[in-house]
Coordinates of all heavy atoms in Angstrom, one line a residue:
M30 N -14.0 -14.2 -9.0 CA -14.2 -13.7 -10.3 C -14.9 -12.4 -10.3 O -14.6 -11.4 -11.1 CB -14.8 -14.7 -11.2 CG -14.0 -16.0 -11.5 SD -14.9 -17.2 -12.4 CE -15.3 -16.4 -13.9
L31 N -15.9 -12.2 -9.4 CA -16.7 -11.0 -9.4 C -15.9 -9.8 -8.8 O -16.0 -8.7 -9.2 CB -17.9 -11.2 -8.5 CG -19.0 -12.1 -9.1 CD1 -20.1 -12.4 -8.1 CD2 -19.6 -11.6 -10.4
I32 N -15.0 -10.2 -7.8 CA -14.3 -9.1 -7.1 C -13.1 -8.7 -7.9 O -12.6 -7.5 -7.8 CB -13.9 -9.6 -5.7 CG1 -15.1 -9.9 -4.8 CG2 -13.0 -8.7 -5.0 CD1 -14.9 -10.5 -3.5
Q33 N -12.5 -9.6 -8.6 CA -11.2 -9.4 -9.3 C -11.1 -8.1 -10.1 O -10.1 -7.4 -10.0 CB -10.8 -10.6 -10.2 CG -9.5 -10.5 -10.8 CD -8.3 -10.5 -9.9 OE1 -8.4 -11.1 -8.8 NE2 -7.3 -9.7 -10.2
P34 N -12.1 -7.8 -10.9 CA -12.0 -6.5 -11.7 C -11.9 -5.3 -10.8 O -11.3 -4.3 -11.2 CB -13.3 -6.5 -12.5 CG -13.7 -7.9 -12.6 CD -13.3 -8.5 -11.3
F35 N -12.5 -5.3 -9.6 CA -12.5 -4.1 -8.7 C -11.6 -4.4 -7.5 O -11.8 -3.7 -6.5 CB -13.9 -3.8 -8.3 CG -14.8 -3.5 -9.4 CD1 -15.7 -4.4 -10.0 CD2 -14.8 -2.2 -10.0 CE1 -16.5 -4.1 -11.0 CE2 -15.7 -1.8 -11.0 CZ -16.5 -2.8 -11.5
L36 N -10.6 -5.3 -7.6 CA -9.8 -5.6 -6.4 C -9.1 -4.4 -5.8 O -9.1 -4.3 -4.6 CB -8.8 -6.7 -6.8 CG -7.9 -7.2 -5.7 CD1 -8.7 -7.8 -4.6 CD2 -6.9 -8.2 -6.2
Q37 N -8.6 -3.5 -6.7 CA -7.9 -2.4 -6.1 C -8.8 -1.5 -5.3 O -8.4 -1.0 -4.2 CB -7.3 -1.5 -7.3 CG -6.2 -2.2 -8.1 CD -4.9 -2.4 -7.2 OE1 -4.5 -1.5 -6.5 NE2 -4.3 -3.5 -7.3
Y38 N -10.0 -1.3 -5.7 CA -11.0 -0.5 -5.0 C -11.5 -1.2 -3.8 O -11.7 -0.5 -2.7 CB -12.1 -0.1 -5.9 CG -11.7 0.7 -7.2 CD1 -11.6 0.1 -8.4 CD2 -11.4 2.0 -7.1 CE1 -11.2 0.8 -9.5 CE2 -11.0 2.8 -8.2 CZ -10.9 2.1 -9.4 OH -10.5 2.9 -10.5
V39 N -11.6 -2.5 -3.8 CA -12.1 -3.2 -2.6 C -11.0 -3.2 -1.6 O -11.3 -2.9 -0.4 CB -12.4 -4.7 -3.0 CG1 -12.6 -5.5 -1.7 CG2 -13.6 -4.8 -3.9
L40 N -9.7 -3.4 -2.0 CA -8.6 -3.3 -1.0 C -8.5 -1.9 -0.4 O -8.2 -1.7 0.8 CB -7.3 -3.7 -1.7 CG -7.2 -5.2 -2.1 CD1 -5.9 -5.5 -2.8 CD2 -7.4 -6.1 -0.8
G41 N -8.7 -0.9 -1.3 CA -8.6 0.5 -0.8 C -9.7 0.8 0.2 O -9.5 1.5 1.2
A42 N -10.9 0.2 -0.1 CA -12.0 0.4 0.8 C -11.8 -0.2 2.2 O -12.1 0.3 3.2 CB -13.3 -0.1 0.2
V43 N -11.2 -1.4 2.1 CA -10.8 -2.1 3.4 C -9.8 -1.3 4.2 O -9.9 -1.1 5.4 CB -10.3 -3.5 3.1 CG1 -9.7 -4.2 4.3 CG2 -11.4 -4.4 2.5
L44 N -8.8 -0.8 3.5 CA -7.8 0.0 4.2 C -8.3 1.3 4.8 O -8.1 1.6 5.9 CB -6.6 0.3 3.2 CG -5.5 1.2 3.7 CD1 -4.8 0.6 4.9 CD2 -4.5 1.5 2.6
L45 N -9.2 2.0 4.0 CA -9.8 3.2 4.5 C -10.7 2.9 5.7 O -10.7 3.7 6.6 CB -10.5 3.9 3.3 CG -10.9 5.4 3.5 CD1 -9.7 6.2 3.9 CD2 -11.6 5.9 2.3
T46 N -11.5 1.8 5.6 CA -12.4 1.5 6.7 C -11.6 1.2 7.9 O -11.9 1.6 9.1 CB -13.2 0.3 6.3 OG1 -14.0 0.6 5.1 CG2 -14.2 -0.1 7.4
Y47 N -10.5 0.5 7.8 CA -9.6 0.1 8.9 C -9.1 1.4 9.6 O -9.0 1.4 10.9 CB -8.5 -0.7 8.5 CG -7.6 -1.2 9.6 CD1 -8.0 -2.3 10.4 CD2 -6.4 -0.6 9.8 CE1 -7.2 -2.7 11.4 CE2 -5.6 -1.0 10.9 CZ -6.0 -2.1 11.7 OH -5.2 -2.5 12.7
V48 N -8.7 2.4 8.8 CA -8.2 3.6 9.4 C -9.3 4.4 10.1 O -9.1 5.0 11.2 CB -7.6 4.5 8.3 CG1 -7.2 5.9 8.9 CG2 -6.3 3.8 7.8
L49 N -10.5 4.4 9.5 CA -11.6 5.2 10.1 C -12.5 4.5 11.1 O -13.2 5.2 11.9 CB -12.6 5.6 8.9 CG -12.0 6.5 7.8 CD1 -13.0 6.7 6.7 CD2 -11.6 7.8 8.4
Y50 N -12.3 3.2 11.3 CA -13.2 2.5 12.2 C -13.1 2.9 13.7 O -14.1 3.0 14.4 CB -12.9 1.0 12.1 CG -14.0 0.1 12.8 CD1 -15.3 0.1 12.3 CD2 -13.7 -0.6 14.0 CE1 -16.3 -0.7 12.9 CE2 -14.7 -1.3 14.6 CZ -15.9 -1.4 14.1 OH -16.9 -2.1 14.7
P51 N -11.9 3.3 14.2 CA -11.9 3.8 15.6 C -12.7 5.1 15.7 O -13.3 5.3 16.8 CB -10.4 4.1 15.8 CG -9.7 3.1 14.9 CD -10.5 3.0 13.7
L52 N -12.7 5.9 14.7 CA -13.6 7.1 14.8 C -15.0 6.7 14.7 O -15.9 7.4 15.4 CB -13.2 8.0 13.6 CG -11.9 8.7 13.6 CD1 -11.7 9.5 12.3 CD2 -11.7 9.5 14.8
Q53 N -15.4 5.7 14.0 CA -16.8 5.2 13.9 C -17.2 4.8 15.3 O -18.4 5.1 15.7 CB -16.9 4.0 12.9 CG -18.2 3.3 12.9 CD -19.3 4.1 12.2 OE1 -19.0 5.1 11.5 NE2 -20.5 3.8 12.4
I54 N -16.4 4.1 16.0 CA -16.8 3.6 17.4 C -17.0 4.8 18.3 O -18.0 4.8 19.1 CB -15.7 2.7 17.9 CG1 -15.5 1.5 17.1 CG2 -16.0 2.3 19.4 CD1 -16.7 0.6 17.0
R55 N -16.2 5.8 18.2 CA -16.3 7.0 19.1 C -17.6 7.8 18.7 O -18.3 8.3 19.6 CB -15.1 7.9 19.0 CG -13.8 7.2 19.5 CD -12.7 8.2 19.6 NE -11.5 7.6 20.1 CZ -10.4 8.2 20.4 NH1 -10.3 9.5 20.0 NH2 -9.3 7.6 20.9
L56 N -17.8 7.9 17.4 CA -19.0 8.7 17.0 C -20.3 8.0 17.3 O -21.3 8.7 17.6 CB -18.9 9.0 15.5 CG -17.9 10.0 15.0 CD1 -17.9 10.1 13.4 CD2 -18.2 11.4 15.6
E57 N -20.3 6.7 17.4 CA -21.6 6.0 17.7 C -22.0 6.2 19.1 O -23.2 5.9 19.4 CB -21.4 4.5 17.4 CG -21.3 4.1 15.9 CD -21.2 2.6 15.8 OE1 -21.2 1.9 16.8 OE2 -21.1 2.2 14.6
A58 N -21.1 6.8 19.9 CA -21.6 7.1 21.3 C -22.5 8.4 21.3 O -23.1 8.6 22.3 CB -20.3 7.4 22.2
Y59 N -22.5 9.1 20.2 CA -23.2 10.4 20.1 C -24.3 10.3 19.1 O -25.4 11.0 19.2 CB -22.3 11.5 19.9 CG -21.2 11.7 20.8 CD1 -19.9 11.1 20.5 CD2 -21.3 12.3 22.1 CE1 -18.8 11.2 21.4 CE2 -20.3 12.4 23.0 CZ -19.0 11.9 22.7 OH -18.0 11.9 23.6
V60 N -24.1 9.6 18.0 CA -25.1 9.6 16.9 C -25.3 8.1 16.5 O -24.6 7.2 17.0 CB -24.6 10.4 15.7 CG1 -24.5 11.9 16.0 CG2 -23.3 9.9 15.1
S61 N -26.2 7.9 15.6 CA -26.5 6.6 15.1 C -25.4 6.0 14.2 O -24.7 6.8 13.6 CB -27.9 6.6 14.3 OG -27.7 7.3 13.1
P62 N -25.3 4.7 14.1 CA -24.2 4.2 13.2 C -24.3 4.7 11.8 O -23.3 4.9 11.1 CB -24.4 2.7 13.3 CG -25.1 2.4 14.6 CD -26.0 3.7 14.8
M63 N -25.5 4.9 11.3 CA -25.7 5.3 9.9 C -25.2 6.7 9.7 O -24.5 7.0 8.8 CB -27.2 5.3 9.5 CG -27.5 5.7 8.1 SD -29.2 5.6 7.7 CE -29.9 6.9 8.7
V64 N -25.5 7.6 10.7 CA -25.0 9.0 10.6 C -23.5 9.1 10.7 O -22.8 9.8 10.0 CB -25.7 9.9 11.7 CG1 -25.1 11.3 11.7 CG2 -27.2 10.0 11.4
A65 N -23.0 8.3 11.7 CA -21.5 8.2 11.9 C -20.8 7.8 10.6 O -19.8 8.4 10.2 CB -21.2 7.4 13.0
A66 N -21.3 6.7 10.0 CA -20.7 6.2 8.8 C -20.8 7.1 7.6 O -19.8 7.3 6.9 CB -21.3 4.8 8.4
L67 N -21.9 7.8 7.5 CA -22.1 8.8 6.4 C -21.2 9.9 6.6 O -20.5 10.4 5.6 CB -23.5 9.2 6.3 CG -23.9 10.2 5.2 CD1 -23.6 9.6 3.8 CD2 -25.3 10.6 5.3
S68 N -21.0 10.4 7.8 CA -20.1 11.5 8.1 C -18.7 11.2 7.8 O -17.9 12.0 7.2 CB -20.3 11.9 9.6 OG -21.6 12.3 9.9
L69 N -18.3 9.9 8.1 CA -16.9 9.5 7.9 C -16.6 9.3 6.4 O -15.5 9.6 5.9 CB -16.6 8.2 8.6 CG -16.5 8.4 10.2 CD1 -16.3 7.1 10.8 CD2 -15.4 9.4 10.5
V70 N -17.7 8.9 5.6 CA -17.5 8.8 4.2 C -17.3 10.2 3.6 O -16.4 10.4 2.7 CB -18.7 8.1 3.5 CG1 -18.7 8.2 2.0 CG2 -18.7 6.6 3.9
I71 N -18.1 11.1 4.0 CA -17.9 12.5 3.6 C -16.5 13.0 3.9 O -15.8 13.7 3.1 CB -19.0 13.4 4.1 CG1 -20.3 13.0 3.6 CG2 -18.7 14.9 3.8 CD1 -21.5 13.8 4.3
L72 N -16.0 12.7 5.2 CA -14.7 13.1 5.6 C -13.6 12.4 4.7 O -12.6 13.0 4.4 CB -14.5 12.7 7.1 CG -13.1 12.9 7.6 CD1 -12.7 14.4 7.6 CD2 -13.0 12.3 9.0
A73 N -13.9 11.1 4.4 CA -12.9 10.4 3.5 C -12.8 11.1 2.1 O -11.7 11.2 1.6 CB -13.3 9.0 3.4
V74 N -14.0 11.5 1.6 CA -13.9 12.1 0.3 C -13.2 13.4 0.3 O -12.4 13.8 -0.5 CB -15.4 12.3 -0.3 CG1 -15.4 13.2 -1.5 CG2 -16.0 11.0 -0.5
A75 N -13.5 14.2 1.4 CA -12.8 15.5 1.5 C -11.4 15.4 1.9 O -10.5 16.2 1.5 CB -13.6 16.4 2.6
G76 N -11.0 14.4 2.8 CA -9.7 14.4 3.3 C -8.7 13.4 2.6 O -7.5 13.6 2.7
F77 N -9.3 12.4 1.9 CA -8.4 11.4 1.2 C -8.6 11.4 -0.3 O -7.6 11.5 -1.0 CB -8.7 10.0 1.8 CG -8.4 9.9 3.2 CD1 -9.3 10.0 4.2 CD2 -7.1 9.6 3.6 CE1 -9.0 9.9 5.6 CE2 -6.7 9.5 5.0 CZ -7.7 9.6 5.9
V78 N -9.8 11.2 -0.7 CA -10.1 10.9 -2.2 C -9.8 12.2 -3.0 O -9.0 12.1 -4.0 CB -11.5 10.4 -2.4 CG1 -11.7 10.2 -3.9 CG2 -11.8 9.1 -1.6
A79 N -10.4 13.3 -2.6 CA -10.2 14.5 -3.4 C -8.8 15.0 -3.4 O -8.3 15.3 -4.5 CB -11.2 15.6 -2.9
P80 N -8.1 15.1 -2.3 CA -6.7 15.5 -2.4 C -5.8 14.5 -3.2 O -4.9 14.9 -3.9 CB -6.2 15.5 -0.9 CG -7.5 15.7 -0.1 CD -8.6 15.0 -0.9
F81 N -6.1 13.2 -3.1 CA -5.4 12.2 -3.9 C -5.6 12.4 -5.4 O -4.6 12.3 -6.1 CB -5.8 10.8 -3.5 CG -5.2 9.7 -4.3 CD1 -3.9 9.3 -4.0 CD2 -5.8 9.1 -5.3 CE1 -3.2 8.3 -4.8 CE2 -5.2 8.1 -6.1 CZ -3.9 7.7 -5.8
V82 N -6.8 12.7 -5.8 CA -7.1 12.9 -7.2 C -6.3 14.2 -7.7 O -5.7 14.2 -8.8 CB -8.6 13.1 -7.5 CG1 -8.8 13.5 -8.9 CG2 -9.3 11.7 -7.2
V83 N -6.4 15.3 -6.9 CA -5.7 16.5 -7.2 C -4.2 16.3 -7.3 O -3.5 16.7 -8.3 CB -6.0 17.6 -6.2 CG1 -5.1 18.8 -6.4 CG2 -7.5 18.0 -6.2
V84 N -3.6 15.6 -6.3 CA -2.1 15.3 -6.4 C -1.8 14.5 -7.5 O -0.8 14.7 -8.2 CB -1.7 14.7 -5.0 CG1 -0.2 14.2 -5.1 CG2 -1.8 15.7 -3.9
L85 N -2.6 13.4 -7.8 CA -2.3 12.5 -8.9 C -2.4 13.3 -10.3 O -1.5 13.1 -11.1 CB -3.4 11.4 -9.0 CG -3.2 10.4 -10.1 CD1 -1.8 9.7 -10.0 CD2 -4.3 9.4 -10.0
A86 N -3.4 14.2 -10.4 CA -3.5 15.0 -11.6 C -2.2 15.9 -11.8 O -1.7 16.1 -12.9 CB -4.8 15.8 -11.7

Side-chain angles (χ1 to χ4, degrees):
M30 294 173 61
L31 293 174
I32 295 173
Q33 182 63 37
F35 298 99
L36 181 61
Q37 293 292 318
Y38 298 101
V39 173
L40 293 177
V43 171
L44 176 59
L45 195 55
T46 302
Y47 183 78
V48 173
L49 295 175
Y50 191 70
L52 294 177
Q53 173 75 14
I54 298 299
R55 294 186 179 184
L56 287 177
E57 286 183 3
Y59 305 98
V60 296
S61 66
M63 182 180 66
V64 174
L67 182 60
S68 301
L69 289 177
V70 169
I71 295 173
L72 175 65
V74 173
F77 294 97
V78 179
F81 176 78
V82 172
V83 172
V84 171
L85 181 62

